[in-house]
Amino acid sequence: MKNLIIDIGNTRMKAAIFEGEILVMEKAFHDISELREFSKSVEFDHCIISSVISVDLEAALGFPFLLLTKDTELPIENHYATPETLGVDRKAAAVGGRVMLEKGPVLVIDLGSCITYEFLNEKNQYLGGAISPGLNMRFKAMHTQTAKLPLVGLEDSQSIRLIGDSTEMGLRSGVYFGVQFEMEGFMQAYRSQHQDLKVIICGGDSKFFESLTKDHIFVIPNLVLYGLNRILTYNVNKK
């Protein structure tokens, strides 16, 4: 079975082709028109779309697909207290964590526009997690909420020093190490309750934190695509 997987986020738009559980192609797009042309150029049996934007995708793309919504059945137990408010990207990340780690508790940290923490226990129950501002959101907040702080970004984590010797370097140090220490704090807190915990870091900004990779911490940037593919396969097989 060949699946077309489409993930439309706040700042990124990606598509992938899976043959079974194997990712054979991945591509990024700037707009829906590029995505439509790509879909015309590939063959696929089924398609799933996860989108956080309000667009008539069926009219824009012109082919049938499964839209991931609050009502889509999942291959995990959803114990979130308010499932109607749970973002589709968060559900896909949680399922992706189970694709990569079939047993035991897993914490998925998705570094996108926001940083989301998704926890699955050893019973395959999704319990929720946490949400905090992402890298760019932190940079923009300091710029827009103050009178004189400049807008800077993060291009190369290797050049970030703990002690910033200029205002720009201080901003970069604060954001970069603030996120790193936040993630390490969450990991430590979760591991204190679940000793066998494994952690997966994913998302567009995960590349800045590849140095955190250890025997129990994995960096898999495109994890959400794997989660979406598993959700699609699960729903197709139930028919």
Side-chain angles (χ1 to χ4, degrees):
M1 184 170 68
K2 186 176 289 188
N3 293 333
L4 172 61
I5 311 301
I6 298 174
D7 179 26
I8 302 175
N10 289 301
T11 58
R12 295 178 175 88
M13 186 180 302
K14 295 187 294 185
I17 295 293
F18 279 81
E19 292 185 1
E21 296 282 342
I22 300 174
L23 175 63
V24 297
M25 180 190 301
E26 181 181 351
K27 193 173 179 63
F29 304 92
H30 293 98
D31 53 44
I32 294 292
S33 62
E34 289 185 2
L35 179 58
R36 182 177 61 250
E37 292 306 311
F38 171 77
S39 66
K40 292 179 179 179
S41 68
V42 295
E43 294 182 357
F44 57 92
D45 301 304
H46 306 281
C47 175
I48 187 171
I49 298 180
S50 170
S51 177
V52 300
I53 63 174
S54 298
V55 175
D56 187 348
L57 294 171
E58 188 169 350
L61 296 174
F63 58 83
F65 55 83
L66 172 65
L67 181 65
L68 182 59
T69 70
K70 63 180 179 64
D71 298 318
T72 305
E73 293 192 48
L74 303 175
I76 58 175
E77 293 183 32
N78 189 355
H79 287 244
Y80 205 62
T82 56
E84 69 279 0
T85 70
L86 181 61
V88 292
D89 52 339
R90 296 184 65 192
K91 290 193 284 190
V95 174
R98 185 53 77 212
V99 171
M100 295 298 170
L101 300 168
E102 296 182 355
K103 297 180 180 179
V106 56
L107 175 66
V108 175
I109 305 176
D110 191 348
L111 290 156
S113 299
C114 286
I115 302 172
T116 60
Y117 298 80
E118 318 300 348
F119 178 70
L120 274 170
N121 65 17
E122 64 280 357
K123 298 178 181 179
N124 208 36
Q125 298 170 330
Y126 171 74
L127 303 183
I131 307 171
S132 70
L135 288 171
N136 290 331
M137 192 178 294
R138 297 179 193 220
F139 282 123
K140 290 178 180 178
M142 289 190 289
H143 173 61
T144 59
Q145 299 295 321
T146 62
K148 295 184 178 181
L149 288 179
L151 178 61
V152 300
L154 193 63
E155 297 180 356
D156 181 9
S157 60
Q158 300 298 320
S159 63
I160 305 301
R161 297 185 294 274
L162 182 63
I163 301 176
D165 58 3
S166 67
T167 299
E168 290 189 1
M169 186 54 71
L171 291 167
R172 291 190 175 98
S173 176
V175 169
Y176 177 78
F177 287 107
V179 169
Q180 177 178 318
F181 299 155
E182 174 188 302
M183 290 194 295
E184 290 174 340
F186 268 109
M187 286 187 263
Q188 182 178 357
Y190 274 86
R191 188 164 289 111
S192 69
Q193 299 181 21
H194 305 273
Q195 295 183 353
D196 297 330
L197 181 76
K198 297 293 191 299
V199 180
I200 300 178
I201 301 174
C202 66
D205 288 331
S206 62
K207 60 182 180 290
F208 295 120
F209 297 94
E210 292 180 347
S211 62
L212 296 181
T213 301
K214 298 179 181 178
D215 59 349
H216 60 276
I217 303 174
F218 310 88
V219 178
I220 307 175
N222 54 11
L223 180 76
V224 167
L225 297 177
Y226 284 88
L228 290 171
N229 183 60
R230 175 63 63 85
I231 293 171
L232 176 59
T233 301
Y234 178 77
N235 280 271
V236 169
N237 289 339
K238 285 181 68 69
K239 292 181 179 180

